[in-house]
Amino acid sequence: MIEILATTLAAIMVPAIPFNTAIEFKQYVEHEHTQLEQVLENDSTAFASGQKTTIKTPNGTNVEALIYPEYFSDEAMNFYTNYFKWYPEYKLRPTTDDGATTTYNSFAYAFYMHWTDNPVRCWLADLNPFINDKSFIEVDTPQENDIILYYNDYYDDGVYKLDPIHAGIVKEVYNTESNGVCGNANTVEVISKWGEFGRYIHRGDECPYVSKYVFKDYENEIYFDIYATKVKYYRRHTSHSYTTKVEGSIHTYACKCGDTVEKHSYTKRYVNNGLNHTAYCECGEGKTSFHSYWNRYEKYNMTQHIAYCACGASTKESHNFIVDRFGFKYCSYCKQDDIKEETIHRLNSLPLEDLFDLKDVLLNGDEKIED
């Protein structure tokens, strides 16, 4: 991967006239070698101290990122944007989508900037929040606007590791077979940011993050030496879409993102069996239980109300009276008032401000206020 300090140096030293050949550029580097070393010493600390900022995943999770200034002069930006055009020996001829810049990287573009209105240009390293909060879910078959994530997989002391090293947005899917180079990366056209170089449109397997194209430009101190060995695709996941899965008596609602909500939902149909009822799930599974009188209430008389179960069964219950601060008694379930003589007596002892409140209750229909 390109060393950002090296590109920062070249950004300051590149002349206004573009180089026509690699030899011209190498000669200029040698001529200004002493100056380069001084710039490196002065700028390394500045670049290492990027400003921390907090961005959000599309689903709202906070993520830490770093903000860096633009280190490229106009001349340097022009040079690095066209670097692969002026160095044909690297056999990469991508189409430029955005100029070279030190202000953002491929992860920030693919997982954040592409999905955000007026995004902050930043460098992003931690992709886990974007996947863990289901902003993006892995898919097997890519389609337009998916994310392609390049991985380097290897063994470290016998432990298998999978490190993401590059990302882009799928611009087009080709009707072709995989060539086996970095998975099936050749089957898609991609827009991705190449380090501090430009943002380019390219075939998925034709970028300096694939083994076929990695290189080290020692003269210019530019290194693309870590390559991907496989790719995965991720799709924006805006809302859950649950499907029903029935295996014997087990019924689950599962989303394609892997989220499972529940096993059975006994709310689709009820059969009243007298003392109890059977509630059915939409998969056909039934569960028999006692009535639960909570579904609906209505007044029966001044001391009782009728409580209904979801299955339609009913029973008579005594009012559950509570008294508000004005002395009115009412049932907390069916809201039935039961005003008695003691209420009238209490009115005589109410403070003046409470009487005005009571006036509002009686005239305007305000809700009763409990003690």
Side-chain angles (χ1 to χ4, degrees), residues 262-282:
E262 57 188 329
K263 290 188 176 179
H264 291 286
S265 178
Y266 298 107
T267 58
K268 302 301 179 183
R269 184 167 58 90
Y270 296 90
V271 174
N272 186 358
N273 305 322
L275 296 177
N276 52 37
H277 64 242
T278 301
Y280 289 91
C281 179
E282 66 178 11

Side-chain angles (χ1 to χ4, degrees), residues 210-258:
V210 175
S211 59
K212 181 179 178 181
Y213 298 102
V214 296
F215 65 89
K216 296 181 180 181
D217 181 356
Y218 292 105
E219 294 294 339
N220 299 331
E221 298 188 51
I222 294 172
Y223 309 108
F224 281 93
D225 53 2
I226 300 177
Y227 59 87
T229 49
K230 65 186 300 182
V231 295
K232 292 185 179 182
Y233 299 95
Y234 293 86
R235 186 166 300 157
R236 176 75 179 97
H237 184 62
T238 55
S239 61
H240 294 301
S241 176
Y242 294 107
T243 57
T244 301
K245 181 180 180 181
V246 181
E247 295 179 352
S249 62
I250 304 300
H251 170 204
T252 58
Y253 287 105
C255 180
K256 60 185 177 181
C257 71

Side-chain angles (χ1 to χ4, degrees), residues 147-303:
I147 293 175
I148 180 172
L149 187 56
Y150 294 74
Y151 288 92
N152 173 245
D153 65 337
Y154 59 96
Y155 282 91
D156 183 11
D157 291 334
V159 179
Y160 179 73
K161 294 188 176 182
L162 193 63
D163 293 337
I165 64 171
H166 184 61
I169 298 295
V170 174
K171 186 174 186 293
E172 183 180 347
V173 179
Y174 303 130
N175 184 20
T176 186
E177 296 294 327
S178 170
N179 62 7
V181 177
C182 198
N184 64 345
N186 68 294
T187 65
V188 293
E189 184 179 54
V190 176
I191 305 175
S192 69
K193 176 74 161 53
W194 295 4
E196 291 81 43
F197 289 89
R199 191 170 72 217
Y200 304 105
I201 300 172
H202 58 96
R203 202 173 78 178
D205 65 331
E206 294 180 346
C207 67
Y209 300 92
V210 175
S211 59
K212 181 179 178 181
Y213 298 102
V214 296
F215 65 89
K216 296 181 180 181
D217 181 356
Y218 292 105
E219 294 294 339
N220 299 331
E221 298 188 51
I222 294 172
Y223 309 108
F224 281 93
D225 53 2
I226 300 177
Y227 59 87
T229 49
K230 65 186 300 182
V231 295
K232 292 185 179 182
Y233 299 95
Y234 293 86
R235 186 166 300 157
R236 176 75 179 97
H237 184 62
T238 55
S239 61
H240 294 301
S241 176
Y242 294 107
T243 57
T244 301
K245 181 180 180 181
V246 181
E247 295 179 352
S249 62
I250 304 300
H251 170 204
T252 58
Y253 287 105
C255 180
K256 60 185 177 181
C257 71
D259 185 63
T260 300
V261 176
E262 57 188 329
K263 290 188 176 179
H264 291 286
S265 178
Y266 298 107
T267 58
K268 302 301 179 183
R269 184 167 58 90
Y270 296 90
V271 174
N272 186 358
N273 305 322
L275 296 177
N276 52 37
H277 64 242
T278 301
Y280 289 91
C281 179
E282 66 178 11
C283 70
E285 181 79 4
K287 180 179 180 181
T288 300
S289 59
F290 291 109
H291 296 304
S292 178
Y293 297 107
W294 52 263
N295 183 257
R296 183 168 59 88
Y297 301 91
E298 64 181 37
K299 172 189 173 184
Y300 178 68
N301 56 34
M302 294 298 288
T303 60

